[in-house]
């Protein structure tokens, strides 16, 4: 896989590779990549045979992802859209897998310092919460959601919210960095038997 990173687009980093190393796909899934950036995660899914839709709020990132998909020969298995999280997806569009590497660091409150590429809002969980609120609408009953979260964010609120929503979750992997620890969380709907 060859990935070019255009200026102003989030470069693949430790958090990206935490997801890449732990994605278990059969190659038949319909995948949604929220905050696709360079498209590296979507392209990895497509190289495994999955059809993947990547969404990013940054038009330049969408163009960068399309370019990367083309040079990796998977433009027929990917679709990249410019939009805000999942709001542009209509109801009835259900995915087998949703992946996201959202901005997860808490904002400082100073717009001169806060970089949109990493600014996850006051508690570092703004985008994650928005996607979680849309999980019922977008994730198949047997589907999975994978996301990265930081020890610096309010991750306990996310784990608590998952329980109240009737979703099961587990930390699949961790990565210790010098100033934080990253967690890769897998979420599944809790299927009830009648």
């Amino acid at each position: 896989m060859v990935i070019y990173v255009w200026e102003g687009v989030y470069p693949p980093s430790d958090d990206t590779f935490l997801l890449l190393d732990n994605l278990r796909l059969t190659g038949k899934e319909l995948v949604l990549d929220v905050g696709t950036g360079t498209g590296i995660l979507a392209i990895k899914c497509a190289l495994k045979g999955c059809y993947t839709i990547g969404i990013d709020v940054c038009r330049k990132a969408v163009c960068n992802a399309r370019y990367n998909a083309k040079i990796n020969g998977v433009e027929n298995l990917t679709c990249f859209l410019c939009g805000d999280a999942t709001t542009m997806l209509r109801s009835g569009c259900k995915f087998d897998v949703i992946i996201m590497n959202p901005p997860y660091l808490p904002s400082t409150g100073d717009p001169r310092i806060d970089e949109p590429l990493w600014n996850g809002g006051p508690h570092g969980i703004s985008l994650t919460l928005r996607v979680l609120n849309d999980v019922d609408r977008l994730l198949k009953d047997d589907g999975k959601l994978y996301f990265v979260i930081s020890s610096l964010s309010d991750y306990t609120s996310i784990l608590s919210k998952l329980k109240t929503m009737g979703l099961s979750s587990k930390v699949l992997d961790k990565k210790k960095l010098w100033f934080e620890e990253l967690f890769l969380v897998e979420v599944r709907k809790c299927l009830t038997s009648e």
Side-chain angles (χ1 to χ4, degrees):
M1 183 167 42
V2 177
I3 298 295
Y4 288 93
V5 181
W6 295 1
E7 186 178 340
V9 177
Y10 186 75
S13 302
D14 289 315
D15 44 13
T16 315
F17 297 114
L18 191 60
L19 266 163
L20 276 175
D21 293 343
N22 287 282
L23 280 178
R24 304 290 178 252
L25 302 166
T26 64
K28 298 182 182 350
E29 296 90 349
L30 176 59
V31 179
L32 175 63
D33 178 15
V34 179
T36 197
T38 62
I40 188 171
L41 294 170
I43 292 164
K44 172 77 171 193
C45 295
L47 287 169
K48 289 185 169 277
C50 300
Y51 187 81
T52 308
I53 296 173
I55 296 177
D56 204 294
V57 71
C58 173
R59 188 173 188 279
K60 190 174 199 178
V62 170
C63 293
N64 189 176
R66 285 180 183 151
Y67 177 80
N68 284 327
K70 185 173 183 169
I71 63 170
N72 283 283
V74 292
E75 65 270 28
N76 60 331
L77 288 173
T78 55
C79 175
F80 295 100
L81 307 170
C82 188
D84 188 19
T86 58
T87 57
M88 65 190 308
L89 299 170
R90 68 176 186 223
S91 293
C93 185
K94 298 262 188 182
F95 294 88
D96 299 297
V97 177
I98 299 174
I99 55 177
M100 69 173 169
N101 183 14
Y104 50 70
L105 293 177
S107 62
T108 65
D110 185 343
R112 295 170 300 162
I113 299 171
D114 290 338
E115 171 63 50
L117 295 176
W118 58 258
N119 181 354
H123 303 287
I125 57 175
S126 296
L127 180 58
T128 304
L129 283 174
R130 289 178 55 211
V131 173
L132 285 179
N133 288 332
D134 228 2
V135 159
D136 273 344
R137 183 174 73 88
L138 296 173
L139 191 63
K140 290 182 179 177
D141 285 340
D142 58 347
K144 298 177 199 170
L145 163 67
Y146 297 95
F147 66 91
V148 176
I149 197 159
S150 167
S151 60
L152 299 177
S153 62
D154 187 7
Y155 65 92
T156 55
S157 289
I158 291 292
L159 298 178
S160 177
K161 181 168 180 65
L162 290 168
K163 283 184 184 174
T164 62
M165 292 176 68
L167 300 168
S168 67
S169 65
K170 65 180 177 182
V171 175
L172 282 185
D173 203 356
K174 300 176 186 180
K175 173 88 176 177
K176 183 79 172 148
L177 304 175
W178 67 276
F179 64 96
E180 69 179 326
E181 189 168 17
L182 300 176
F183 305 99
L184 174 61
V185 179
E186 178 189 71
V187 178
R188 293 175 182 244
K189 288 186 179 180
C190 300
L191 300 177
T192 57
S193 57
E194 297 186 26

